[in-house]
Amino acid sequence: MKQEVSRKHAADRWALDDVVMTSEVTHPPKDFESLKEGPSEGVFVYGLYLDGCSWSTRENRMVDSEPKKLYNLLPVMFVTGVLVSV
């Protein structure tokens, strides 16, 4: 992932050592089935579950899970590389 992003920004002189990974839950949350194509840079990650908490689509953050519900599906995440700020 980091190597892909640094190659894409070779004209901007991004070194592989200066790239860090960043991730965020898609907002508004996306389902895997609704994705038609990948992002222009980075990847979509799906199939992750939260243990003991859930994702609030309204507040766009983790919240306490409902009683007696241990595992909750996390919406699709977007993962990419960014240049580290010194």
Side-chain angles (χ1 to χ4, degrees), residues 27-60:
H27 188 72
K30 297 180 181 180
D31 292 279
F32 169 68
E33 294 81 20
S34 68
L35 297 174
K36 302 294 183 210
E37 58 186 44
S40 60
E41 181 176 290
V43 294
F44 287 127
V45 177
Y46 65 94
L48 300 177
Y49 284 85
L50 298 171
D51 183 5
C53 61
S54 63
W55 187 260
S56 170
T57 56
R58 187 172 50 91
E59 299 176 35
N60 199 33

Side-chain angles (χ1 to χ4, degrees), residues 1-12:
M1 163 55 73
K2 289 171 48 173
Q3 189 173 16
E4 176 187 321
V5 171
S6 63
R7 282 183 182 165
K8 203 167 220 180
H9 291 277
D12 300 328

Side-chain angles (χ1 to χ4, degrees), residues 11-86:
D12 300 328
R13 298 194 178 268
W14 282 26
L16 181 60
D17 294 337
D18 297 334
V19 175
V20 294
M21 290 180 53
T22 182
S23 61
E24 59 186 45
V25 175
T26 54
H27 188 72
K30 297 180 181 180
D31 292 279
F32 169 68
E33 294 81 20
S34 68
L35 297 174
K36 302 294 183 210
E37 58 186 44
S40 60
E41 181 176 290
V43 294
F44 287 127
V45 177
Y46 65 94
L48 300 177
Y49 284 85
L50 298 171
D51 183 5
C53 61
S54 63
W55 187 260
S56 170
T57 56
R58 187 172 50 91
E59 299 176 35
N60 199 33
R61 65 182 184 99
M62 282 192 287
V63 295
D64 292 332
S65 61
E66 298 173 16
K68 308 245 182 195
K69 191 166 183 184
L70 188 58
Y71 302 107
N72 293 290
L73 185 63
L74 183 66
V76 174
M77 290 184 62
F78 172 66
V79 180
T80 189
V82 294
L83 197 58
V84 68
S85 57
V86 181

